[in-house]
Amino acid sequence: MTITITAFERSPDRGRGLARDMRIRWALEEVGQPYDVRLVSFKTMREPAHLALQPFGQIPTYEEGDLALFESGAIVLHIGERHAGLLPDDENGRARALTWMFAALNTVEPPIFDRALARILERNEPWYEQRLHALEVSIRKRLDDLSRRLGDADWLDGAFSAGDLLMVTVLLRLKGSDILDGYPNLSAYVARGEARPAYKRAFAAQLAVFTAASTT
Ligand code: GTB
């Protein structure tokens, strides 16, 4: 059955792989599933047809036969459950991988995403510097703990899993910042994720969309 996902027609990140369709592309590449992409504009995302798929008018979405899903974490989990390559075979290992998926999205991502939003939307507010500082303190607290837990391991819990896939996509938003640079083992962890052939194929595919849009 054909899998179709949605992605930005013109991603505000200019093809840097930060929009959340990247997680789905990467997961599908890891498990070797081909997929189609339907590109949507901000206007299309507010139209009834898209809202029926994604009640909050966002990307990504995932369609496969009569199944329609939204929320990148749920979609990655679905892919991991249907296909080998993202979740361990043993029950306990699977449960731990799920725990890391939730940790990435619920514990590590919020201050990182809020910082990114603040840098775009709140830059001119009188309290901007204080807010940025508070967010960066929160991020460093999370990264201190994550860095200690990862230690010198390659991945968070044995072999690469959907937990690592989500964690790497979350940390990638800090790439090039002095925050991530302060944690050499986390920088190396992110680089290991980016070096995976599946990641590279997914990144190239989403970058091609931006490149094509810029030449039209
Ligand atoms: N919890 C949902 C999920 O994980 O699927 C969140 C989905 C989401 O935030 N989608 C964003 C969206 O559709 C795109 S990815 N936004 C439009 C809207 O809400 O109206 C978030 C994103 C956007 C832009 C950049 N960027 O430019 O760097 C990076 C990430």
Side-chain angles (χ1 to χ4, degrees):
M1 228 171 299
T2 307
I3 294 170
T4 303
I5 68 168
T6 50
F8 283 134
E9 184 180 79
R10 278 173 197 270
S11 184
D13 75 343
R14 306 176 63 81
R16 287 164 59 221
L18 298 177
R20 288 180 170 115
D21 58 291
M22 182 62 199
R23 296 169 178 177
I24 316 304
R25 293 174 184 272
W26 185 7
L28 288 167
E29 292 288 353
E30 287 286 349
V31 302
Q33 284 296 305
Y35 61 97
D36 288 343
V37 182
R38 190 168 63 252
L39 300 176
V40 291
S41 64
F42 281 96
K43 181 170 170 286
T44 313
M45 285 157 67
R46 297 306 311 170
E47 288 171 358
H50 188 78
L51 289 171
L53 290 174
Q54 217 293 2
F56 307 107
Q58 298 180 312
I59 59 102
T61 59
Y62 176 101
E63 292 158 83
E64 185 182 13
D66 57 7
L67 176 68
L69 297 174
F70 62 98
E71 283 298 330
S72 57
I75 298 170
V76 170
L77 175 57
H78 170 77
I79 296 167
E81 282 179 332
R82 289 287 163 95
H83 307 281
L86 284 175
L87 293 173
D89 290 333
D90 70 293
E91 242 175 61
N92 285 355
R94 249 175 137 80
R96 286 194 304 272
L98 253 71
T99 302
W100 280 115
M101 292 175 73
F102 278 85
L105 302 183
N106 283 0
T107 304
V108 181
E109 181 164 53
I112 295 177
F113 193 68
D114 286 352
R115 173 181 177 269
L117 277 188
R119 280 159 54 96
I120 299 167
L121 301 176
E122 296 167 359
R123 201 166 264 282
N124 296 323
E125 301 292 346
W127 36 259
Y128 172 68
E129 290 302 335
Q130 275 166 290
R131 162 108 170 121
L132 193 65
H133 176 73
L135 286 168
E136 293 187 348
V137 168
S138 301
I139 293 171
R140 285 198 167 89
K141 185 168 183 299
R142 294 301 184 219
L143 298 194
D144 284 349
D145 292 338
L146 185 65
S147 168
R148 186 171 353 93
R149 178 60 177 252
L150 179 67
D152 58 9
D154 279 355
W155 306 113
L156 288 166
D157 191 84
F160 175 83
S161 80
D164 295 297
L165 185 150
L166 290 179
M167 192 66 84
V168 167
T169 61
V170 164
L171 296 178
L172 268 166
R173 193 169 273 281
L174 294 172
K175 192 178 163 186
S177 72
D178 59 343
I179 303 181
L180 189 62
D181 292 348
Y183 299 87
N185 68 335
L186 294 181
S187 298
Y189 172 65
V190 169
R192 265 192 298 283
E194 290 177 294
R196 292 179 73 82
Y199 176 91
K200 288 185 182 173
R201 288 193 296 273
F203 186 88
Q206 66 78 36
L207 179 60
V209 173
F210 177 75
T211 308
S214 333
T215 55
T216 55

